[in-house]
Amino acid sequence: TDLQAAVGCAQLEKFPSFVIRRRQNFDRLKQALADTTDQLILPVACEHSDPSWFGFLITCREADRREKLVPFLEQNGIQTRMLFAGNLTKHPCFDAMRKTKTGYRIVGDLENTDRIMRDTFWIGVYPGMTDAMLDDMADLIHQGLKI
């Protein structure tokens, strides 16, 4: 509709500032969590890229760490989301195909995709977040890693 188009055009005018702020938020979190790389795998941009980050992807190095960290963050007001990928053959839509072993093939043991499903989650870098919000989020991650 015309109204939706007007809203979309207004949002497009804000787009450059959204991209800048998402990158700043990502960089602030990455710097604040740099001392956690013994416990967490932090995201890295591909070479020759400058992404407008959707979120901040965290993979826990220790098995079962995510099961402690994510509830702690959620209980303290930090929203998280699971990665919507990983080993897709374990998603419910594959149930029928798994039984008949038709419709797809698997090459290798899918160890890394299983790990992503088990140990990875997102936190946000929404452009409306303040530096104080990001610092609080990083502090809570540090606290959560101690439990």
Side-chain angles (χ1 to χ4, degrees), residues 18-109:
F18 289 170
V19 170
I20 290 167
R21 189 61 194 173
R22 283 185 180 276
R23 288 178 178 147
Q24 290 171 341
N25 292 349
F26 177 91
D27 291 342
R28 188 173 191 96
L29 278 174
K30 182 103 181 230
Q31 183 176 9
L33 297 174
D35 63 337
T36 66
T37 56
D38 61 325
Q39 298 177 72
L40 303 175
I41 299 171
L42 304 178
V44 177
C46 293
E47 189 176 357
H48 306 298
S49 71
D50 190 15
S52 172
W53 295 94
F54 163 80
F56 194 90
L57 191 67
I58 296 174
T59 301
C60 298
R61 291 187 184 276
E62 184 181 312
D64 300 322
R65 168 64 67 189
R66 185 181 81 175
E67 280 68 38
K68 297 174 187 171
L69 182 57
V70 166
F72 175 81
L73 295 174
E74 292 281 343
Q75 290 165 4
N76 285 281
I78 306 300
Q79 292 187 3
T80 63
R81 298 291 182 269
M82 296 304 109
L83 183 65
F84 38 80
N87 187 345
L88 295 178
T89 66
K90 291 190 176 179
H91 285 241
C93 66
F94 277 83
D95 286 348
M97 287 188 281
R98 222 178 355 265
K99 291 175 186 170
T100 62
K101 297 184 181 184
T102 60
Y104 67 98
R105 66 185 176 104
I106 295 176
V107 177
D109 61 9

Side-chain angles (χ1 to χ4, degrees), residues 128-142:
M129 297 174 79
T130 65
D131 288 348
M133 290 173 173
L134 295 161
D135 294 344
D136 287 345
M137 191 163 31
D139 288 343
L140 283 166
I141 291 170
H142 280 100

Side-chain angles (χ1 to χ4, degrees), residues 113-130:
T113 60
D114 287 337
R115 177 151 194 236
I116 287 169
M117 285 185 71
R118 182 186 66 237
D119 300 330
T120 301
F121 67 98
W122 292 99
I123 56 176
V125 292
Y126 170 70
M129 297 174 79
T130 65

Side-chain angles (χ1 to χ4, degrees), residues 1-12:
T1 67
D2 287 346
L3 180 58
Q4 291 167 324
V7 170
C9 287
Q11 288 296 93
L12 282 175

